[in-house]
Amino acid sequence: DSVWHTFNNHRLLSSAVLSDALKLKSDTLNLVYYTITATVFKGDKKEEHSANITLLSEIIPKQLTIKTGAAYPHNNTNFTEGFFFNNGMVYESSGLNGNSFICRYKLGSVKPERLTTLPNEYFGEGSILFNNKLIQLTWKNGVGVVYDATNLKHIKAFRIGGEDWGLTYTGTNVIMSDGTHRVFYLDTANYAPIKFCEVYDNKVRVVYLNELE
């Protein structure tokens, strides 16, 4: 006789007869999973049917082109995982178990003026400069490391869990990738994950997210 729809357990404003199509405005919704449930009434009986949907972006990714402005020497024995430039200095974190480190050197040089190694069991990953500290992730150890940005001395370690890949700082948020289609926002006081968002293009989820800018 009639059907009621709920959207993520929220009742839609109107009921519809069985022949009606359900239309939703999606421009104000986040790109995320949703569950639509239809409760069908016929006489004194009812049935429920649910379907999961994923809202995709309407933005079609564009392939960008780049132009080399200048070239500088680089130590090609480094297993580069994190790399950024600040005030004339290059900060680089390098991976591989037994050979992971974080260092700083002048642009154009390959000789670090400061270098701090990680314990052999750690595989260094992405890094950022944040509040006069360097934060470096490790791959499968579930541990992040904090250094003094001036002398690169170890300050403390913190636990995240899972795999940790890329890291960036937006001026407000510390954001981390873990190689999936999710990026995580970290608490700027203790670096604990506080929320995440999922990345999709106009067709599918975008996995293996790593480098972040």
Side-chain angles (χ1 to χ4, degrees):
D1 296 334
S2 64
V3 56
W4 290 352
H5 293 98
T6 57
F7 189 66
N8 273 18
N9 295 320
H10 294 287
R11 169 81 181 277
L12 298 181
L13 294 178
S14 60
S15 61
V17 297
L18 289 173
S19 60
D20 286 349
L22 177 65
K23 295 181 179 180
L24 293 170
K25 288 181 63 64
S26 62
D27 55 343
T28 59
L29 298 174
N30 295 323
L31 303 179
V32 73
Y33 305 109
Y34 291 95
T35 300
I36 295 177
T37 300
T39 305
V40 182
F41 296 89
K42 187 172 184 180
D44 59 352
K45 297 181 180 180
K46 72 174 184 178
E47 293 182 7
E48 286 191 352
H49 301 272
S50 296
N52 296 320
I53 63 172
T54 302
L55 294 183
L56 302 177
S57 173
E58 63 180 359
I59 300 172
I60 300 175
K62 295 181 180 180
Q63 183 171 344
L64 302 179
T65 58
I66 62 172
K67 181 179 179 180
T68 302
Y72 298 93
H74 179 258
N75 187 340
N76 60 13
T77 64
N78 293 352
F79 199 88
T80 306
E81 294 290 353
F83 189 91
F84 61 90
F85 179 74
N86 184 71
N87 291 333
M89 305 299 293
V90 175
Y91 294 80
E92 183 173 359
S93 57
S94 184
L96 296 179
N97 295 101
N99 196 36
S100 289
F101 59 84
I102 191 164
C103 68
R104 180 180 67 223
Y105 53 89
K106 291 181 180 180
L107 182 65
S109 173
V110 295
K111 183 179 180 181
E113 67 167 34
R114 296 281 182 177
L115 185 148
T116 302
T117 59
L118 283 169
N120 289 341
E121 66 270 22
Y122 288 166
F123 189 117
E125 277 285 351
S127 57
I128 58 168
L129 179 65
F130 168 67
N131 281 356
N132 201 36
K133 297 181 178 65
L134 287 172
I135 295 93
Q136 182 184 25
L137 299 176
T138 60
W139 182 25
K140 294 184 177 181
N141 305 94
V143 172
V145 185
V146 182
Y147 307 89
D148 183 290
T150 302
N151 54 32
L152 269 63
K153 289 185 177 180
H154 176 272
I155 296 176
K156 67 176 181 179
F158 60 92
R159 182 158 294 280
I160 301 178
E163 293 191 11
D164 310 321
W165 288 36
L167 197 62
T168 191
Y169 177 57
T170 66
T172 305
N173 300 300
V174 175
I175 302 175
M176 181 192 81
S177 63
D178 66 350
T180 67
H181 66 296
R182 293 177 174 177
V183 292
F184 296 82
Y185 290 72
L186 307 184
D187 189 298
T188 55
N190 59 20
Y191 312 109
I194 53 177
K195 65 177 182 179
F196 67 85
C197 68
E198 300 183 332
V199 180
Y200 288 79
D201 60 18
N202 61 312
K203 294 181 179 179
V204 295
R205 67 176 62 175
V206 182
V207 296
Y208 305 119
L209 296 174
N210 191 357
E211 177 66 15
L212 301 175
E213 302 294 345

